[in-house]
Amino acid sequence: MVACANLVRIYRTGTTARGGVEVQALQGLDLTVEEGELLALVGASGSGKSTLLGILAGLDTPSAGTAVVDGTDLGALKRRERTAYRRRTVGVIQQQTARNLLPYLTARENVQLPMAYAREPRRRRAARATELLDLMGIAHAADRTPAGLSGGEQQRVAIAVALANRPRLLLADEPTGELDTATSEEIFGALRTANTELGTTVLIVTHDALVADQVRRTVRIRDGRTSTEVLRHAAGDDAEGAPTAQEYTVLDRVGRLQLPREFTESLGLVNRVRLVLESDHIEVWPDHRRSPVVPEAK
Ligand code: ADP
């Protein structure tokens, strides 16, 4: 569904006669998302998450590299194609709950609006809005305007709005940023529902690493590149039946990989590590230069 390869985005700021400052927000990012996945993208503030989302949403274009969503190459879109892409292929939910909805329209009208833009027949708009508000557990509030809804309810309506035109990919930028823990879990539940019931591929961007507990795959983005991934397995649970999590890292085209800091710190790995190729894996050892390795054979 999503294939980003060596994606680069450079912002030029403060352009003056003497030139400006360049910020490389994405520096060769690789990311693959399978159809039907629910994935969390985590990373510190400034790591490039919003930049990536802007590109995937069709709002921004990469400086270099490729981003392909559902077969559409986002670097090569003409204006009309871009509009169609934004209307039909992706749905976006923003962090600021209020920004997702028009304040003077009811929840139902908000959900119908994107369908009107896409020239969906009126009768089908009404049916689809009812269906989506119901799916999001918010049917009771269909005729209220955003002011009469709680923050969590507003975000659930926002998800229904984003789903209105049956997007293949749902992008949520910090969807729980303004919500308390209990409400946040409700929102993750609603996003999961969109994923399982409608088969929509969902990408949730967050700086909150706890989100990892809510999804099967978490990708950590660091310095504009994807680094580690955590996969949770429902099958292969441990003895207590708790899902086991396995950490993965991305190996780029030239064979570079980044080790998680928790791993390198706990073993005191610095500067140089010793590599041993085994038949089915590679060992990474601390470099004991001061206590030399015993030779294997004389
Ligand atoms: P995140 O969403 O992970 O916080 P961003 O994608 O917002 O990260 O930002 C990545 C980097 O790009 C940061 O250093 C940020 O300051 C910079 N950046 C983001 N947007 C712009 C912009 N419009 N102009 C200049 N620099 C930007």
Side-chain angles (χ1 to χ4, degrees), residues 10 16 30 41 53 78 102 202 213 216 242 257 265 272 278:
I10 297 167
T16 64
D30 295 308
L41 194 67
L53 216 70
K78 301 204 180 65
L102 287 177
V202 182
D213 297 340
R216 208 179 82 79
L257 59 79
E265 280 179 353
R272 194 167 82 158
E278 294 291 334

Side-chain angles (χ1 to χ4, degrees), residues 11 13 23 25 44-52:
Y11 292 110
T13 56
V23 179
S45 172
S47 57
K49 304 182 300 292
S50 305
T51 301
L52 173 64

Side-chain angles (χ1 to χ4, degrees), residues 106-121:
T106 64
R108 187 195 306 280
E109 288 163 346
N110 266 288
V111 180
Q112 291 185 11
L113 194 61
M115 294 185 261
Y117 285 136
R119 304 194 187 287
E120 185 84 9

Side-chain angles (χ1 to χ4, degrees), residues 72-251:
T72 303
D73 184 346
L74 300 182
L77 288 181
K78 301 204 180 65
R79 235 179 89 181
R80 194 178 284 256
E81 296 167 333
R82 184 170 297 279
T83 306
Y85 172 82
R86 275 159 50 179
R87 202 162 277 168
R88 303 239 174 226
T89 310
V90 285
V92 179
I93 300 142
Q94 312 237 26
Q95 171 178 5
Q96 293 83 5
T97 47
R99 272 222 225 154
N100 290 306
L101 305 172
L102 287 177
Y104 48 86
L105 297 183
T106 64
R108 187 195 306 280
E109 288 163 346
N110 266 288
V111 180
Q112 291 185 11
L113 194 61
M115 294 185 261
Y117 285 136
R119 304 194 187 287
E120 185 84 9
R122 190 178 293 270
R123 192 171 28 83
R124 265 196 286 182
R125 282 181 230 164
R128 174 101 181 129
T130 303
E131 188 186 303
L132 285 172
L133 290 170
D134 200 29
L135 186 70
M136 290 296 118
I138 196 100
H140 60 278
D143 296 314
R144 286 190 224 153
T145 57
L149 301 171
S150 70
E153 287 172 333
Q154 287 182 17
Q155 260 335 39
R156 280 189 278 160
V157 175
I159 299 172
V161 171
L163 291 168
N165 287 329
R166 299 183 167 80
R168 307 295 313 276
L169 176 66
L170 192 61
L171 303 169
D173 191 1
E174 307 270 6
T176 62
E178 292 180 347
L179 305 173
D180 59 57
T181 312
T183 314
S184 295
E185 288 191 7
E186 255 176 58
I187 299 308
F188 288 123
L191 290 167
R192 247 198 312 266
T193 301
N195 176 247
T196 54
E197 299 295 315
L198 304 176
T200 316
T201 306
V202 182
L203 204 164
I204 308 170
V205 167
T206 178
H207 68 272
D208 178 4
L210 290 176
V211 171
D213 297 340
Q214 307 272 344
V215 301
R216 208 179 82 79
R217 181 157 82 113
T218 306
V219 171
R220 175 171 296 279
I221 165 167
R222 191 174 278 148
D223 305 327
R225 286 195 187 100
T226 38
S227 50
T228 54
E229 296 192 10
V230 174
L231 273 186
R232 250 150 241 288
H233 296 280
D237 294 350
D238 69 13
E240 268 82 55
T244 54
Q246 280 183 330
E247 185 117 11
Y248 287 77
T249 189
V250 175
L251 186 66

